[in-house]
């Protein structure tokens, strides 16, 4: 069985993340989306909110598992769930340099787990969670944001700004 883990902070989930998840779902027998929790990092959404958004965005993928993990290397988490692949996205040259290094470190730690890299289509390649959060606020942000995030995420941002 080909089991893969696709991990990230998903704060928030973007159309790029969703593309990666859908591609992984087609490539592997089992796909696990894992929210990596970093207690030192200030998040916009709680882990529970991110899990809920991921589940809501992926209802069309019935066998997908959405989980969270903390205080361990991704490759060790992948090993603990019996995954033999880690799925990673590469948007830019700097992503490539970072991911290439991590692939070698992961291989040193757990040689049996391979990393698979996917490159998203150009129209979503520049989308990042940081960019998304930077769009919120100016007049008209709601319509701009809609282009880059799934509907459940868009709705959460609107709800969040209405609460103030």
């Amino acid at each position: 069985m080909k089991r893969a883990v696709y991990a990230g902070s998903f704060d928030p989930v973007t159309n790029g993340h969703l593309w990666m998840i859908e591609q992984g779902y087609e490539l592997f027998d089992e796909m696990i989306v894992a929210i990596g929790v970093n207690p030192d990092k200030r998040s916009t959404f709680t882990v529970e909110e991110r899990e809920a958004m991921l589940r809501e965005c992926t209802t069309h993928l019935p066998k997908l598992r959405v989980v969270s993990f903390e205080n361990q290397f991704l490759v060790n988490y992948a090993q603990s769930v019996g995954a033999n692949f880690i799925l990673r996205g590469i948007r830019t040259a700097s992503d490539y340099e970072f991911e290439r290094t991590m692939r070698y470190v992961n291989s040193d730690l757990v040689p049996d787990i391979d990393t698979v890299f996917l490159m998203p289509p150009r129209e979503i390649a520049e989308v990042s969670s940081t960019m998304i959060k930077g769009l919120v606020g100016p007049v008209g942000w709601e319509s701009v944001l809609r282009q880059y995030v799934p509907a459940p995420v868009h709705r959460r941002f609107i709800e969040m700004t209405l609460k103030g």
Side-chain angles (χ1 to χ4, degrees):
M1 171 172 294
K2 294 183 292 183
R3 180 178 296 142
V5 173
Y6 175 53
S9 64
F10 304 106
D11 186 39
V13 181
T14 68
N15 288 340
H17 291 136
L18 192 55
W19 182 87
M20 288 290 297
I21 291 166
E22 290 169 342
Q23 297 303 305
Y25 191 83
E26 294 299 318
L27 287 171
F28 301 103
D29 300 317
E30 187 176 343
M31 183 73 182
I32 301 167
V33 176
I35 300 168
V37 179
N38 181 348
D40 296 329
K41 196 173 178 184
R42 189 165 170 262
S43 299
T44 302
F45 296 99
T46 67
V47 174
E48 295 77 20
E49 288 171 321
R50 288 180 271 162
E51 283 184 21
M53 283 188 283
L54 275 164
R55 285 191 177 94
E56 199 172 346
C57 294
T58 58
T59 56
H60 62 293
L61 308 174
K63 297 180 295 181
L64 185 77
R65 287 174 47 198
V66 176
V67 299
S68 62
F69 73 100
E70 62 182 300
N71 200 29
Q72 58 184 311
F73 293 118
L74 170 57
V75 72
N76 294 126
Y77 171 76
Q79 183 180 43
S80 76
V81 296
N84 36 10
F85 297 95
I86 292 172
L87 180 63
R88 301 297 294 165
I90 295 180
R91 300 169 297 182
T92 63
S94 59
D95 280 355
Y96 171 76
E97 292 299 325
F98 176 80
E99 295 296 346
R100 181 182 63 143
T101 300
M102 289 309 303
R103 181 258 181 258
Y104 292 132
V105 170
N106 288 340
S107 181
D108 289 343
L109 296 173
V110 185
D112 296 339
I113 296 180
D114 291 317
T115 303
V116 174
F117 299 109
L118 295 180
M119 189 176 296
R122 181 179 303 151
E123 62 271 13
I124 58 174
E126 298 301 319
V127 178
S128 70
S129 294
T130 302
M131 183 203 86
I132 295 302
K133 290 184 269 192
L135 293 174
V136 176
V139 173
W141 70 266
E142 298 90 344
S143 61
V144 174
L145 191 72
R146 182 174 284 123
Q147 301 172 60
Y148 303 111
V149 297
V153 176
H154 186 261
R155 189 172 54 254
R156 291 283 176 117
F157 269 105
I158 289 174
E159 291 167 359
M160 185 174 67
T161 57
L162 291 176
K163 290 179 185 174

